[in-house]
Each structure stands twice: as structure tokens, then as C-alpha cells.
Amino acid sequence: MVVPVAYYLVLSAILFSIGVGAFLIRRNIITVFMSIELMLNAVNLTFVAFAHQWHRVSGQIFVFFVMVVAAAEAAVGLAIIISIFRARETLNVDNVNLMKL
Amino acid sequence: MLNETTLTLTILFPAAAALVVALLPSRGRVIQWFTLIASLIFFLLTLQFPAHFTYGQQGFQFEVNRDWIASPNIRYHIGLDGISLWLVALTGFLAPLGVLASWKAIDHHAKEFYFLFLLQQTAMVGVFVALDMFLYYAFWELTLVPMAILIAMFGRERGVQAALKFFVYTFLPSALLLVAILFLYARTGTFDFVQLQAMVSHGGSLFSERALYWAALGFLVAFAVKVPVFPLHGWLGDTFSEAPTAMAMVVAGKLGLYSILRFNLGLFPVQARQLAPWMIALAVIGILYGALVALVQRDMKRLAAYATLSGLSFCVLGIFCFAVSGVDGALYQTINEGIIGGALLILLGILYERYGTYEIAAYGGLAAHMPLFATLFVIVSLALIGLPMLNGFVGEFLILSGSFAGHTGWVAAATVGVILSAAYMLSLVQKVFYGGQSEMVREQPRPDLNFRENVTVWSMAVLMLVMGLASPVWTRAIDGAVVKLVQPASQAAIPCVLGPTPCVAVQQ
Amino acid sequence: MYLVLFILFGGLCVAGALNLLLQRHPINSALSLVVVMTSLAVLYLLLGAEFLAAAQVIVYSGAIMVLFVFVIMLLNAGEEERTFGSKAAYIVGFPGVAALICTLTIVFLSARHLGETRLGDSLVSVHDLSLVLFRDLLLPFEVTSVLILIAILGAVALARKES
Amino acid sequence: MMQIETGAQVPQVYRILPEVLLTITGVLIMLVEPLMPRGASRKPMGVLALLGSLAALFASFWQMGLPPGTAYYGVVQTDAFSVFFHVLITSIIVVSILVSLDTFDRKTENTGEFYALAVLGAVGMCIMSSAVELLLVFIGLEISSISTYIMAGFRKRSGKSPESALKYFLLGSFATAFFLYGIALTFGATGTTNISQIAALFRQSETPAFGYVAMTMILIGLGFKVSAAPFHIWTPDVYEGAPSPVVGLMSTAPKAAAFAVLLRIAYGAYPWLHAHWFLLIWLMAAISMTVGNLGALSQQNVKRMLAYSSIAHGGYLLVAFTALSREGIAAATFYTATYAATNVGIFAIVSHAGGYEERLNSITDYRGLAYRSPLLGGALALFLLSLIGIPFTAGFFGKFYVFAAALDSGVVWLTIFGLVNSGIAAFYYLRLLTSVYSKPMTEAQLATIPALKPSLLAALFVTVTATLILGIFPGRTLALARAGAATYAVSGSSTSVGTANFSLR
Amino acid sequence: MNGDPSLHLWLIPILPFIGFLLNGLVGRRLPKGLVSTIALIFTAAPLAMVALIAARFSSLTLPHVERLAAPWSSGSWILTSAFRVDFSFLLDPLTLVMLLVVTGVGFLIHLYSVGYMAEEEGYWRYFAYLNLFMFFMLTLVLAENFLLMFVGWEGVGLASYLLIGFYFMRSSAADAGKKAFVVNRIGDFGFLLAMFLLIGHFGSLSFSQVFPAIAAHPEWQGGFLTAIALLLLLGATGKSAQIPLYVWLPDAMEGPTPVSALIHAATMVTAGVYMIVRTHVLFDRSPFALGVVAIIGAATAFFAATIGIVQTDIKRVLAYSTVSQLGYMFLACGAAAYSAAIFHLVTHAFFKGLLFLAAGSVIHALGGEQDLRKMGGLRKATPITFWTMTAAVFAIAGLPPFAGFFSKDAILYESFLSPTAGPILWFVGLVTALLTAFYMFRLWYLAFFGERRELAEESHGHHAGGVHESPWIMLLPLVLLAVLSLTGGWIGIPEALGGSDHFAHFLEPVIAGQPHSSVEVTKQAAAEGSSVPQETAAARTPGKPARNTNQERLFSVVSVLMALIGWFFADLFYRRKPGLPEQMAERARALYLVLKNKYWIDEIYARFIVIPLLFISRYILWGAVDTGMIDGGGYLVAGSARGFGALVRRVQSGNIRSYAGWLALGAAALLLITYFGFVTHL
């Protein structure tokens, strides 16, 4: 009972793409932000899969760092969302289009 | 007295003066006087070169060749030869006149004006003396900037549009020029004109025929716009009508024509001959077209623009017929056009200062009020239409006579331009100065020329006469350089040299 | 058994992700994301990354997602409105996504020299991890502090109400 | 990129001295700032930041004397290349702080944080340019990105600034995910994330396809950061909304760092894939130039116009990448400096003229600026000319060098395309330029332009001087850029991989 | 060039130029007396020089060539390594004749002008221009090469332009000046092309190199020489107002009358004739060109004379008469009778100058009235004017022993001898002689006989008495010219009439032998064999009939008869039956209108050349090409760039999701390129 590493990779690709798709579909800024988190998680899976493939720890270390980065981004991102909510009273991305052309 | 730094000094002097202008207080006419003195000194500096020129010596004189940038291999290489000698002096000559012409016309922001004006002088001299392609291109582009800004700042009505048009028109083709220069550099590893010349003519393996042809075309298009040559003259009318006099005087002609001579003939003799039929045709069309369109203009400045197109096309014709006399004449005519066109524009500017319009129909019978002005205008018109004893004739005659043998039909057609030029210039003179006085002229009598204006235009008029009578003073240096330029690939029969017994080539 | 686990949790991942995509209420999306993350932690375990799996649950599901939920609640975000501000997202975006998924899948599946995974295969101990983390990658680890500093700073600066 | 063994042992901390100094400054500001009374001027913080970044600048210069080498287990490397970018980035920070000193003061309560963010962000950018470990690159990239996300949203009271931050943040993170995916695939293809080992290991990779995809993903991520088309789309909106001093910063420093990373990865990690990334970058360059210039053509908003211009300039810079030669690397490096000198200067003027409230938006608002203040007008003219590429300015020589390098390698069509594009570009710069020099419609509009402050004068002095020096006497800088480029050639020739394939065309 | 001491020929033109400069630059501030003194001195001085040269003429080696050693490089005017032109002057009998005419008549007319122009405002300007004219005319005459001749050629045109437009406030005057210049330019176009051809074939423009070169190559016939000759002819028709370029001369009468006398009668308009004679070497080699010259001459002579019949403006009558007389000279040239042409040129200068001056005196007397119909009965009021005018009318009508008789006679006879269509040319000339006599006597009768038909407006306030004789300074030149009109012809009385034909012999060194050379060539060619077909050779130079003394005398009688017939009709129409002309006009209304309207030539030129040209320029070249295509093309390019720009900006919708969509698409595109371009090739 073995699973090829490639399956993990495909799984991560699917998750990544769903993340991209969610970014395109969802209107709520927070959900959009969550879809980015999903993409990062998909990449993390790739890292772990390759770490397993190469038997190298550094792949897993990468995931730690990505977690840190994601946390930092979450803090900043949510702060930005709060600030835009204060300025615009909306969380709909479609309404955030003051600047165009 | 004349060491190798003089040429560098001549280039840098106006720029340095420009910096001083930027620091001077804008009080009274301090800036004007300073610029006038600076431009006179500049003129004297440029006169050093004809005074110390060694005739009959091949190659460049007053040469400076220093390291500038190690890699890419760019050098500070400047020098003069017979082609550029008098053009530099012409630049110097027109500088103080430009200041005088702007004395009153520029009534606001004199500091900006004279700063850019002086910068423009540096750029123009730089173009004429640069022997490193990079340096040349740098100066070439630099000439555009003060011009465009001044047009925008001091334009009559649509200065901004005219400035944009001028800039884009001339800047876009110089992109092609840069490509061509870079291409040459890529193949030869040098920007040095002298080395390039040798490599292009001997380095058969370095270049393919096609590549050289395209490179030459790239050069030519950029220059042709600047001259301008017939279908590329779209910018000229607007620029002439909007630009301040001192700038319009120097915008067309000499830079482009010099560059064609120096690079298209000097660097690509073979390709220039391949392109020649096209250029000859365009030149002849330009001569006739410019003259005919000038005939029906209602605005003096536009008339001047089309007259300039027509006049400069003569130079193009002369250059691309590759006869020694023709090319001599073309270069001589380039200088003439600088003076005549400059004088014409100064006169128009004077008129505009007094009446505030260039509309021909608004004028009439002006000669009664302003006889001196009328006299000068007629003299300049006569020079422009090529009356013998004035400079325009010598140039035109040399061009046409030199080129006639090789391109009889085209030159004969071009000669028709001689008739047309008389027609449009004299019509202008007649409508403006003669006949009954128009309402505007009758109701607003304006003073005749004052001392400053007299000095400005008379100095040019006298020069026209002197250049019409003593052309060898100028053509001597020109001829020395042109013979070398035309010789290399000139298989076409040059009319026989003069000897005790005329040699005769009977055709048929 | 291993395959079953993979399919089970892989499927859970995909289902969670799709649910995130389809739910119109942000809370539902957030909970779906928690499901994805937790399933991923199981997959990490399957790949031998024990410590990582724990960290995934604690940091991601525990901390980050709680933050998300907190903000959703704070801003009182309700069900999103149906707005149609963007046609481009569908017209150009979806072909893009489709191409993306196809290309990546084909590339991954056609790679011939990839290995296979078994249960309990190449477990990574904390010791191994810390050796790399605190020696070879010491500098990145330290630099991360700057990152966190900035994040704090930014969050404070942006979220503070201007008087 | 091979491991450069340090002959003389240098204390490791020397290798990251500028970063350390910047970090210390940032932390100091954060510590001191809360102690200052509310509502008091935060200028001392600015001065502190200025001093810190100046110290970092000198440290970067000082690093020039160090023998090239790596530190901390081979994750950072100081060489001529990294030093060049360190100097550039710290200089940009210095000038940007000078510009914001008066623009930001007392306008927002977060001024102190702004200085800290700028300085700490610079740490990330510096690290990006010296890191040879992709993990560190990623961390650096995030530091620089996050700090700019935040700074973009600093004018909270205006509607545009948070929107700008949001757009930048969401799309930036989106692109970062791609970049990260690229790193993951690189790791998958080679088993390492150390740039100096990738090139060698990739030769033995059993899954080279991952390498290709990885390079593409990295290009996507970095393409976004340098706003290269087709990933440029965020640029105009973000530039318009962000505070002007921040735009001056974010259009230069993070971009320079991202270009440094792109150079390192393309030439250092994936030289074997040059045929691949050559094609992609060729396309990106061509599209960037066109999109940037055409988009700017009829743009009325000055900041948006400059944003499009920045896209176009990214395109010019990418042309240098396609040269695939040492000259190309040097040209790209040099170009970042010339563009930075000009663009920081131009945004300094825009910041000053518009003030914190950004009163001047459209091109017509700038009418008569030269009459109101000849100095501002003159400097703006110079910068615009530099952007057009008029000789004796930095912009000209940068462009000249880039295209020379490209043509030297036989990239003819892209060169022609680029030069024609630069001709078209002249049009919109000139629109602003002529506007600046034409008579103002109303005096009132310009009366709001504040008097020149010493800090702005200093900033203008630095940028004008840099613009002219780089245009007239580029020799020194050029030599440095070439030395930086030489680090790649060294690695190419001495590693086992050999350079036959990568040999310069 | 030769052993003679320098005659300082260059001073002859330069002196009037100095006068021009003095008057032109400071004349405005000088009193009128000083202005005229300067002008007269600088005209008299060359006259004196010419007289001195004429006095020692026999002792000179001819031709005498002098090069002005200008102090600048090499003393040349134009100098390139392929070509040079010097300021060199030539003195030979032809030049001397022309110099004498120009300086002599010129001086007299200057004198006359002092009186005539006394009350004009631009007095100084007038004399400056007149001196300028003298400078250019003398340059033209003295020039030793084509180009210097061209200087004079264009220069006199300029002076003419300025003087015609002297009353510049009058639009018609300014218009006429412009017309004169532009039409002359058309001729100059031919001259220029001729010079280009000369340079192409000879490498030089110097007479002393071109002509010997032709002489040295007797085998050159026709071909390029015909081309050169015809182009020169085009130039000559412009300057000498021949068909088709004569249209400017009648209009040129807008200028002051002395100007018409000097420039448009005596000197400048004869430059074309002088030029043909000077370059006769070329024409001699081209029978075709000579034929064209003769036909143009004859046609013009007749054509202008017919118009002259019905003109009512006294100066216009004289103008058409001038055109007609110039036609005679061309006819003579065409018949290769160069000395006859020059002879007529000289006598014409006398009597036509006189006619104009006398007409000026009449106009002066009538306070500016020029309409013949309003004149009459001036015989009593202005006796001196009448008698001098009479001399001139007799001279032009060709009545012996007045000057015109001898010169016209010579022309008619020579044209009869002309190889191409001689008798026809002769007949046309003869009819023209009749017409000439008719219209001149018509003028004479209308102006001086009968009663004054209408009083002129009292324009001259202080001449309250109206008609008055002119002051002595105007009458003196009249008298002198009258004497010359009477006696001027005696220098060239042909042998047939008992004279010795001094004039022709004097000119012989210049034009000798040329007509024969072509005959010799034909002989040579014939002798050499069949290479030249006999017919062609014969057609080219049919032998001229030998001179026949009796025939010549007979012809003289016939021409005198013709003149008398003309006189008779004039007498009939305008003295005895004054109503007759109107009846005639009624009866032959069409013919009258044609003549009255000058064959509508001006209108035809306007309708078919000027208006279409302006139309094309304005609407096609400027409207369609310049504004439409060139500017429009620019705008099109700019517009399409903006259009693409708008497309680029459309993408910038401001919506984050759209942006992400584009990013995804871009990413996908790059990935697809990577996959299909590279990965599949692994």
C-alpha cells in the first residue's frame, strides 16, 4: 500500500488552484484572504512531499517559516481589512474600486 | 593661443554661461546683457577655428581624444574638419543675433529662456564637433530639449501641442538612429567615428550588406526628419509658427544636413548611393511641393516654413547627387539657409512684435511706414530666391550645376523651384509692403526698425552679400573635405575639371 | 490502509477547499479552511512530519484561524452580497485556473523518478529539525523576528483609529 | 553559484552589518517613540532613522572592502553585486526619509511607526540582495512586501490609501504564493534551496520539468514585485492611492531588490534554463514596455502616469536580462540605480508639491509649477528628461547601456521595439513637462505649494546630483555594476558545470 | 590675358554701384540736388571711361579680358575643385557698342529724370535704383562668362522690379513689378539650365574657353548645342519680351516713364539680343535654333504690332512697339545677321528712348495724362517735344535718312536671305513695317495734331496754365537723342546705298566667319563621303543666296513705300477722317476686340496656368496632401496609439477579482509556454 509522491503533488496543485479559484469567486475580503491561506497551505504540502522525497529536513523547515509568514500576513492583512472597513464600511471586494483606469 | 582645449572650451562655454544665468538676479536687463556678452564671446571662440584652420590637411583638426567611459568604450573625441568648420562658426554667429532678436520678444521668464538658449548652443556645437557616436548622439538628443521646452513656454497659441509634435516627431526616429549606432558598436566594439569609418569600409566580414543598408537607413530617417525631407516635414509648420524666433532660427536644416553628410556619406558611402535615387526624388518633390504650398499660405510663418522646406530640399538634392560641386554647394547652402532663414524669421518676429499677427491679409502697404524694414525684407527675400551676388545664389547654382550632369531630369525639375520661389516670396512682399494700406496698418502706425534691430538684421544682410561675392573663403575648407567624401565610391562621371583646354564629354 | 488514509484526508482537503469556495458566509468558509488545515496535518503525519503536523494544528488551525474568526465576528461580516463587479474574473480567470491545474497535474504525473510514500517512512525527529533550524538556518530564523516586528508594528499602525 | 571560500576570516556579522544597523535603528525608534508625548513632532524619530540608514549606507560602502564571501552557513553572501544593491537601497531609504520628514510630520499619529517600517523594510530588501538561500530570500521578500503594504495604507483617512494597501496586499500575497510554489518546485527538482548549489544539482536532477515550472513560477512571483506585464495590473491603482513618498520608495527599492533576486536566480540558479527564461522575459519585456507606455499615453493623473511609466521602465530593464551576458547583468544592475535616482527624485517633488493631502493630481494641476518655483520646476524637468532618456541624464545612459548590451547579444527586434517605445514614451512625459512650463490657469492652485524645506532641498540635491553624475560620469558606478556582474562569470567558469552552453552570445 | 595695360574695366560697373550705395544708404537724408549730383556723377564717370576706352580702342589687342583679382582666395567668385567662375570682364567691339549705348543713353536718361522726377517723394530711392540698374547692366555687358552675365541678367531684372514698383502704393505697379520678375524668372530658368549643360559639356562657363572649344570641334552640330541654344533662347525671350514671355513688358509701363525709356526700351530688354549675339557661336551650330529664333522674332514683331494699333495708352503703344522692334532684332539674329541685330539695337535705343522720353514730356505736360484719346494739339504747346518726337517717329517708321531706316532695312534684307523660309520672314517683316508706321503716325497725330479733346484734371496745382513745355534738363536729352535718331544710322549705311557699312565691319572681329563655318563643315562632310547623307547636309545649311546690290536697293524702296503707306493710312484715319476708325471698329468688331484685348493672352495664361497651379497648390497639395495625409497620418498614428492605450486602461477596471483573473491568466500563459515550449521537449 504505497502512495506515489506525485499524488501529494497533484493534491497540492488542486488545492492551490482551488485557492486561486476562491480568490476569483468570493466577494468577502476576509474569505478572499482565506483563499490565499489555502494557497500557502497547498504549497506547504508540496514542501513536505518533497522533503519526504529527498529525505531532507529543510523542506519541513520551510513550512515552519511559511507558517510564521502566514501569521504575520494574517496580522497585517486583517489590520488592513479593519482599516478599509473603517474607511468604506464594506467588506465586499467589488466595492473597493475607487481607483481605476 | 589655440591649444587643444579651445574646442572643449567652445562647447562648454555656453553651458557654463547658462549656469551663471541661472544664478543671476532677474532684475532689469541683467540677464539679457550677460547673455549677449556671453554669446559674443562664444562667437569669437567659434571664429578661432576658421582663423587657425590648416587648409589642405586631411582628417580632423583641433582634435581632442580622451577616455571618458572605459566600458562600453566611449571616448571624449571631438574635432573639426571642413564640413563642420563653418557650421560651428555659423552657430556662433547666430547666437548673439538670437539674443538680440529675443531682447523684447521674450518679456517674461527671461532667465529660463536664456538658460535654455545657451544650453541649446552647447548642444548644437556639440553635434558638429562630436566624433564619438555616443557623444554625438548625446548632443543630438540634447538639441531637442531646450527647443521643445521653449516652444511650450513661449508658443503663441498652441505652444504645448507644437512642442509635443516637434519632440515626438524628432525623437521617435532618433530611436532608430540609436539602434543603428548600437548595432555598429555591437559589431565593431567602438563608437569612434574615425575607427568606424575604417571598419565599415574595410571590414567586409563584420557586416552583411543588408545590415549595413538598414543601419544607413536608420541614420538617414532620423536625419531626414530633422532636415526635414519631404514627407517628414509635418512638424515644421507648427514649430515655426509657435517657436520663439531665436529657436525657430536654428531648428531646421543644418543639424540634419550636416549629419547626413558626415554619417550617411562619410560612414555609409555605398549605402548612401543605394538610397540616393529615393532621396533625390524626395528632394525634388520637396522643392516643388514646398514652393507650391508656400504660394497659397495665409500665415507668414507657415509660408516661411514651407519656403524652408523647399530651400533645404535643394541641399538634400545636392548631397545625394554626389558631385563635388553639388555637395560643396549643398553645404554652402546649408550655411546660407541658416543665415537667410534666420534673417527672415527675425524680420517676421519684428513684425509680430509691432502688430501681433502673422496673418498676411492683415497687412498691406507697410513700406510707407517702415521703409527700412521693407528694404531689409526685400534683401532677405532676394537672397532667399537666389539672386546672384547674394549668398543663396552661389549655393543653389553649385548644387544644380554640379548635379545636373548626373541627374539631368531631376535637376531640371528642381530648377523650376527657382521660378516658384520668386513667385511666393515676391507675392508676400507685395501683399505686405506694397499696394494700399490695410486698415490695421493705417490705424496703427508703428515705428521703423530701432538701433538694435538694425544691427541684428543688417549684419546678416551684409554677410549675405559678402558670402555671395566671396564664396571661396567658405568653400575652400568645404571643398577640401567634400572631395574626400565624394571620392570613395563616386564612379559617376564628375564634370570635367577645369583646365586650359576644356575636356569635353559629349553625351548622346 | 495508507492509501485509504491518503484518499480520505486528501478528499477531505479538497472537499473543505471546495466548500470554502462555495460558501457565501465567511464563517462557513473559515470553518472549511480549518477542516482543510487539519486534514493537511494528517497528511503531514502520513509523510512523516510529526512535529510539523502538530504545529500545523496548533499554529494554523489554532491561532491563525481563530484570528480570522475573531475578525469576522468583530466586523460583523454577514453573508456576502451578490455583486457582479467583475466579469474578467470569470472570463479570463477561470481559463487561467483550468490551465494552471492541468499543466501542474500533467507535469507532476509525468515525472518518472519520483518516489513513493509508506506509513512510518522516514520519520523526522525534532532533533533533526532543530539541528537545521538553529544552525544552518539560524540567520533566517533570526530575521523572522524582524518580520514579526513589522507585522506587529503594521497591525498597530493600521488598526489604530485616528483621532 | 559556487561557494566562495573566504581566504581571510571575516567576522560573520560584518557580512550583515548594514542589516544589523538598520534593525537596531528600527528597534530604537520603536522603543523611543512611545516615550514621546502625543501630538509632538516626530521629527527626531525621522532624524534617528536618517542617521541609522546613513550608517547602514556607510556600512555598505565599507563592505566593499571585504573579500567576497558567505556567512552563516552560506545563507548570505557579500560580493560586489550585493554591495551595489545595498548601497542603492540604503540610499533610497535615506532620500525617502528626507522627503517624508516634512510631508508626514504631524499629519498622522503614526509617523514614528512609519520611520521604523521604512528602516525595517530596508532590512528585508538588503537581505534579498545578499541572500543566496531561497528561504532567506523569501523572508526578505516578505519583510519588504509587508512593510510596503502597510506604508501604502498610511493615509487612513483618505478612501484611496487603504484601498491601495488592500489591493497591494491581496494581490501581492497571491503572487507570493506563486513565488513560494516556485521555490517548492525548485526544492523538488534539486533537493536544495541554496542558490549556489541549485545550478550544479539541477544538472543531475531527475525531474528537470519541475525546474522549468519552478523558474516560471518564480518569474511570476517576481514579475509581480517588479510590476512587469502581465503582472503589472496592480501598479497604477496602488501608486495612485499610496502616499507619494511611499510610492517613491516602493517603486524603487523593493523593485531593485526584486530585480537583484531575479538576477541571482536566473543567472545564478538557473543558467541552464536560459533559453527558457530568455523567451519568457523577452515576452514580458515587450509587453511591459508596450502596456506601460500606451497606458500612460492619455493618462491624466500624474501618479498613475508615473505608475505606467514604472511598468515601462521595468520592461526596459528586463531587456537587459535578455542579453544573457555579463554586460546584460551589469546593464540591468546599473539601470536599477538610474531609475531609482530619477524616480525617487520625481516623487520627492510630487510629495512636496501635493503635500500629505495630495492636492495636485492631474497633469493640468501642475501647470505653472516652474513659475511658482523655478527650482522645483527645473528639477522636475530634469527628472522627466531622465525618464525620457535625454542625454547627460542618468536615464539616458541607463537605457543606452541596456540596449547596447541587448543589441550586442543580437537581440535586435526587442531593442528596436524598446527604443521605439521609448520614443512614444517621450510624449506623455513631455505633456507633464510642458504643463509644468506653461502658464498656470489660476494662481490659487499653486499658491498651496509650500516653501522649500531644507530636508527636501537635500533630497533634491542628492537625486539631481545622482541623476547628472550617472548621466555624465557613469564610470564609477558602471565599474561597480560590472564588478557585480563579474561575480556570475566567476561562478560560471570555475564550477564543474562549465559555461559552454551559457557562453555569452 | 594679353599685353595691354589694365583698363580697370571693373570700375565701369562698380562706379554706379557706389552711387547706389551712397544714395541708397544715406540718400534719404540728403537734399535732392545732392542726390541727383551723386547719381549723375556716378553715371557720367563710366561714360567717360567708356569714351576714353573707345578713343584708344584701335590700339588695343582684342578681345581684351581682365580678371578682377579679388583679395580673397584665388580671386575667384565661385571655386570648387570641379569648377570655378571668376570676376572676369571682356572688352571687344560688341561690348564697346553696348557700353556706349548703355552709358550714353543711360546718362541722358539720368539727366532727364532729374527734371521728370523732381517732385517725387522717393527721389533718392529712384536714383539709387537707377544707379543699381546701371551697375547690373554694365556687368551684364562686360561679363566674360555666362555666370557673371547672369548676375547682370538677374540684376537688371531686380532693378526693373524695383523701378516698375516704384509707386509701390499703387497695387497695379507692385503687381506689374512682381509679374515682370516672375516672368523673367521663367526665362532665367532656361538660362540656368543652359549653363548647367555648358558646365556639363565644357566644365567651364568662360566665353574664352567655351567658344574656342566649339570652334575647335567643327563636327559638333546640333545635338546638345541646339539644346543649349534653345534654353538660352528661352532666357532671351523672357528678358527681351518675346513670345511667349512678352506679357510683362506692357504692364511694366506702370513704372516712371524714364525708367520705361531706359530699361524697357533702350537697354535691358535688348539684353536678350545681346546675349544671342554674344553666344552666336552656339546658335550658328544649330540651324534649328536659329530658325526658332527667327520665327519667334517675326511672330512677335507682327503680333505686337497688331496689338499696338488699337492701344490707347501712349506708353502701352510704345511698349508694344518695343516688343515688336525687339522682334525685329530677334528676326535678325535668327537670320544670323548679328551685326544687323546690334545695329537695330543701337538705333532702337536712340529712337525708342527718345519716344519714351518725349512721351514722358507729353505726360508731364499734361499733368500725368496717358490716354491718347484725351490728347491732341500739343504741337503748339510743346514744340520741342513735338519736333524731337517727330524725329523719333520717322526713325521708327523707317524713313530715310533717319536711323531706323538703315537698321530695319538691313534686317529685312538679311531675313530675306535667311536659309529657312527667308521670303516669308521678309514678308512678315515688311507688313510689320507698315503696321509700325501706321501706329506710330497714329500716335503722332493723336497727340500733336488736332485739338485737345479733353482737359486733364487739374492735378498739378501750380501748373495752372495746364499744358506747358518741360524744363531744359528734360529737353536737352530729347534734343540729343533726336540728333542721334537722325544721324545714328549713318554709321551703318550699307554698301548698296553708297555707304561703307562701318558698323558691320566694326563688329566683324566678334561675329566674323561664323556663318561660313557651318558651310565649310558641310563641305567637309560631303567631301569625306557618304557618312552624312547629302539631303541632311543640304537641309541643314542651304547655301545663302549671294548679296545682290540691286535687289538690296529694290528692297529698300519697297520698305520705304510700306512706311509711307502706313503714314498715309494714319493720316487718313486720324487727321482727315477722324470718324473712320470707329466705323472700322464697328465693321470688324471681332477683330477689333481681339486686338483690343491683346488676344486675351494674359487671360489665357491666368486661366490655364496660374489658376490651375494655385488650385492644385491650395486644395490638393496643401489641403489633401499636407493637412490630410501628412498631418492626418500623424494624427492617425497618435490616435491609434491612444486607442491601444485605452484598451490597456480598460483592463484596469479597479476590481481586485478582475486583477486576480488577469494575474491568473498571465501565470497560466507563462506556464503553458513553459510546458509546450520546453517541458514537452525534455
Side-chain angles (χ1 to χ4, degrees), chain E residues 4 23 50 111 141 165 202 224 250 261 275 319 340-341 350 355 419 473 477 488 495 527 536 568 636 667 671 675:
Chain E
D4 290 323
N23 272 336
V50 172
L111 209 57
V141 171
F202 300 96
F224 72 97
M275 188 251 266
F350 297 151
L355 277 171
I473 199 160
E495 277 135 24
T536 325
F568 167 75
L636 196 70
L671 277 173
Y675 181 75

Side-chain angles (χ1 to χ4, degrees), chain D residues 95-110:
Chain D
V95 177
S96 297
I97 289 174
L98 275 175
V99 174
S100 35
L101 219 48
D102 281 305
T103 316
F104 268 40
D105 198 42
R106 290 175 196 275
K107 302 287 188 187
T108 158
E109 288 171 12
N110 301 321

